[in-house]
Amino acid sequence: MGLHVSEKRYIIGFFIIYICFCFVMDVKLHYRVINYSIRPDNGIKYESSVPCDLNPFCVVTAKGLMLDYINFYIFGPLAALADRTIGFSKCLWLSPNAISFSHVIVATLAGHLVSNKSLTQRRIGVILFQIRTWMDDLDGLVARKRKNISGERSDVGSSGYFIDAICDGLGTTALLIGIFCYLKSYSPRQRGYEKLQPMIPLVNTNQIGSCVVQKKKIRFNNVLPTVLLITGTLIGSSIAWNRYIDLYQVLLETDNVDKLISKNELFTRQTQVFRSNSFWVITTAWKLINPHALTDYILASIFFDRLWEYLHAARWISYIIIVVLVYFTDFQYFQSDAYIKNVPDQLVSEIFMNSTGS
């Protein structure tokens, strides 16, 4: 089962528009970071023509810069718009945790639809899972508003932080189970039929020239290992991504003043790290490799009816990309930490060598 030519054109056109939109938004975000203040009273203040909760450029945070495109530029503002319209954060009976548990139910339904033989049903499952992602943005927005936290930040160590992580994990597990059931039961690329060479029967002469096509069922034993490998990439990406969000939040968004530098100097150095090319390369890479982005790639492959091709191609290369990104992120973080804490330059390489066990 494939896509019609006209359908392919519409989908490809949509994705081209989406990519151009993300590129333009990234350029605007970079301009905002370079030309306006990031830390308090450290440059020209950024003035927004729309409410800041709807504008992802207002408050610049490490997590925001590392968040995937669809969450940061689309679902985040849509969640804020829904909150302004309906007032979720003002409904005290509706807790962020309740929203988190609700999107697990939506994800479970999405996983069930993704396991369906019908491509239409699977596409509906993809849309439902994206609704779950929007709800995940909504619970974070409600939690931050009730704690008067502005911008994209993780409240590391709170009960809501762990509950949200558990619910995200359950939702993704439901999707992966649906994918496994589909590949094991319906995928024509995994359990289809292969035509063998035509055979000429010798029963009577009237049948000479007619072909009898035998079919042999194709069985693949690597469906489960492939799904498990993809699951591993999601887990590895999630652990690393959340770790670096926590580290960079503490490093770049703290107001604690080291004895060696003044508060103004601290803010200046934090701003310089935010504006550095190396930090932008690292955060852009995490936008593309974080667990939300990796899940979006899987969803896109389902929508395009190319699920197995994607999983089979990504099952090993994803690990290599994540390991390389973790190495360079560690190096960039160490350099930024040393600079902000005013570690003398001659000690930087020595400390790094000791930290890597060389």
Side-chain angles (χ1 to χ4, degrees):
M1 182 188 306
L3 301 176
H4 296 296
V5 175
S6 59
E7 191 176 18
K8 285 182 179 179
R9 288 176 180 173
Y10 284 125
I11 295 175
I12 292 173
F14 170 80
F15 275 97
I16 290 175
I17 293 173
Y18 173 71
I19 292 171
C20 291
F21 166 77
C22 292
F23 176 77
V24 170
M25 294 295 281
D26 263 4
V27 171
K28 293 179 67 176
L29 177 62
H30 187 263
Y31 178 84
R32 179 260 181 272
V33 170
I34 295 297
N35 292 281
Y36 297 93
S37 63
I38 300 173
R39 301 299 287 133
D41 302 322
N42 194 263
I44 303 173
K45 186 177 180 181
Y46 178 77
E47 300 289 346
S48 176
S49 57
V50 298
C52 272
D53 56 347
L54 300 177
N55 186 350
F57 304 144
C58 267
V59 181
V60 177
T61 65
K63 182 179 180 179
L65 294 178
M66 296 172 70
L67 202 58
D68 59 298
Y69 289 102
I70 193 168
N71 272 294
F72 190 52
Y73 291 137
I74 298 177
F75 287 159
L78 285 178
L81 181 61
D83 184 61
R84 279 182 163 267
T85 304
I86 302 175
F88 291 108
S89 59
K90 297 178 181 178
C91 299
L92 299 181
W93 54 269
L94 182 64
S95 68
N97 292 340
I99 301 175
S100 297
F101 290 126
S102 297
H103 67 61
V104 174
I105 298 174
V106 176
T108 302
L109 180 57
H112 173 71
L113 290 171
V114 163
S115 68
N116 200 284
K117 182 179 181 180
S118 166
L119 177 59
T120 300
Q121 294 291 317
R122 297 200 302 277
R123 285 178 172 173
I124 294 173
V126 168
I127 294 171
L128 268 182
F129 198 87
Q130 292 292 27
I131 293 174
R132 181 224 75 90
T133 305
W134 172 80
M135 293 175 68
D136 186 30
D137 280 288
L138 181 63
D139 67 34
L141 175 76
V142 171
R144 290 192 300 273
K145 278 202 168 186
R146 291 183 181 176
K147 293 183 178 181
N148 295 317
I149 299 174
S150 58
E152 288 284 351
R153 289 184 173 88
S154 292
D155 190 11
V156 180
S158 66
S159 60
Y161 176 83
F162 291 109
I163 290 175
D164 184 63
I166 291 171
C167 290
D168 285 349
L170 291 174
T172 305
T173 300
L175 175 68
L176 292 170
I177 291 174
I179 287 172
F180 172 75
C181 292
Y182 165 71
L183 291 175
K184 203 66 179 174
S185 302
Y186 298 121
S187 176
R189 298 172 181 81
Q190 296 312 301
R191 292 190 66 184
Y193 288 94
E194 177 184 37
K195 289 185 178 181
L196 300 180
Q197 292 296 325
M199 298 176 59
I200 301 178
L202 302 177
V203 178
N204 59 62
T205 57
N206 292 331
Q207 292 181 330
I208 295 178
S210 65
C211 293
V212 177
V213 179
Q214 291 186 344
K215 293 181 179 180
K216 174 185 176 182
K217 180 160 279 190
I218 302 173
R219 296 183 181 275
F220 290 82
N221 296 323
N222 58 349
V223 172
L224 179 59
T226 299
V227 173
L228 290 177
L229 284 170
I230 292 297
T231 302
T233 65
L234 294 174
I235 294 172
S237 174
S238 178
I239 293 172
W241 182 66
N242 281 288
R243 173 177 178 263
Y244 290 122
I245 286 175
D246 184 22
L247 289 175
Y248 277 116
Q249 280 186 169
V250 173
L251 179 66
L252 300 179
E253 298 168 30
T254 183
D255 294 344
N256 295 329
V257 181
D258 192 281
K259 293 181 180 180
L260 297 177
I261 58 176
S262 66
K263 192 170 185 178
N264 287 336
E265 180 65 16
L266 172 68
F267 289 165
T268 297
R269 294 187 179 206
Q270 288 173 331
T271 297
Q272 288 173 343
V273 171
F274 267 113
R275 291 174 176 171
S276 66
N277 292 331
S278 62
F279 184 67
W280 273 88
V281 170
I282 291 298
T283 55
T284 300
W286 279 112
K287 282 182 181 180
L288 300 171
I289 306 298
N290 71 50
H292 300 292
L294 295 180
T295 303
D296 286 337
Y297 303 151
I298 295 173
L299 294 172
S301 70
I302 295 172
F303 197 89
F304 276 105
D305 197 24
R306 293 294 182 269
L307 175 61
W308 177 254
E309 289 88 340
Y310 171 75
L311 297 183
H312 194 261
R315 70 192 192 280
W316 290 116
I317 191 65
S318 298
Y319 285 96
I320 298 173
I321 294 173
I322 291 171
V323 169
V324 171
L325 182 54
V326 164
Y327 174 80
F328 283 106
T329 306
D330 261 345
F331 184 78
Q332 201 284 334
Y333 172 79
F334 167 78
Q335 296 286 350
S336 300
D337 182 67
Y339 173 68
I340 289 175
K341 292 180 178 178
N342 204 23
V343 176
D345 293 339
Q346 60 268 25
L347 297 180
V348 170
S349 57
E350 180 181 340
I351 296 173
F352 178 72
M353 295 296 289
N354 291 335
S355 67
T356 56
S358 302

